[in-house]
Amino acid sequence: MADILETLRIKMQAAVDVLDFEEARRCRDQINLLRGGATAEDAVQADLSGIERQQPGAMGLGTSQQRMTPPPGWKPPPKPDPMTKGRSSRGAVKPER
């Protein structure tokens, strides 16, 4: 395992030297998968194109949580009408608690 990691590290550095940053990114992601417990075959076959990384500079509590993106076509529900808040269906005012 250490030999594979060292080979990938050297390959990543060689890609950076020739300014092939896409190949360097693939090597980096494979190294991270191997360090995370994946087998060498799984790391080579993994599709890493959809992985999004946290943007640099995002620090503080809760920044490591994934951002939820709504599905295509989703619209937020309409906000309630403030003129009808607290009223029953017959028009009488409900007591506030």
Side-chain angles (χ1 to χ4, degrees):
M1 183 66 81
D3 294 338
I4 296 171
L5 288 174
E6 184 62 23
T7 304
L8 282 172
R9 190 192 66 76
I10 291 170
K11 187 177 175 183
M12 180 176 65
Q13 186 59 46
V16 169
D17 291 341
V18 295
L19 303 178
D20 185 6
F21 298 114
E22 291 298 318
E23 180 62 28
R25 179 187 60 85
R26 280 189 285 278
C27 292
R28 179 202 62 204
D29 291 342
Q30 287 179 355
I31 290 170
N32 287 337
L33 284 173
L34 289 171
R35 287 181 179 164
T39 64
E41 294 82 25
D42 291 341
V44 170
Q45 294 177 358
D47 179 23
L48 304 171
S49 61
I51 294 179
E52 290 185 30
R53 300 201 177 274
Q54 181 174 336
Q55 296 299 316
M59 297 178 63
L61 295 176
T63 56
S64 63
Q65 297 178 355
Q66 295 180 349
R67 291 192 178 125
M68 299 301 291
T69 55
W74 181 84
K75 293 187 297 186
K79 294 186 178 183
D81 185 7
M83 298 301 290
T84 60
K85 180 180 177 186
R87 297 189 177 269
S88 70
S89 60
R90 290 191 235 158
V93 176
K94 292 182 183 176
E96 294 289 328
R97 292 183 187 202

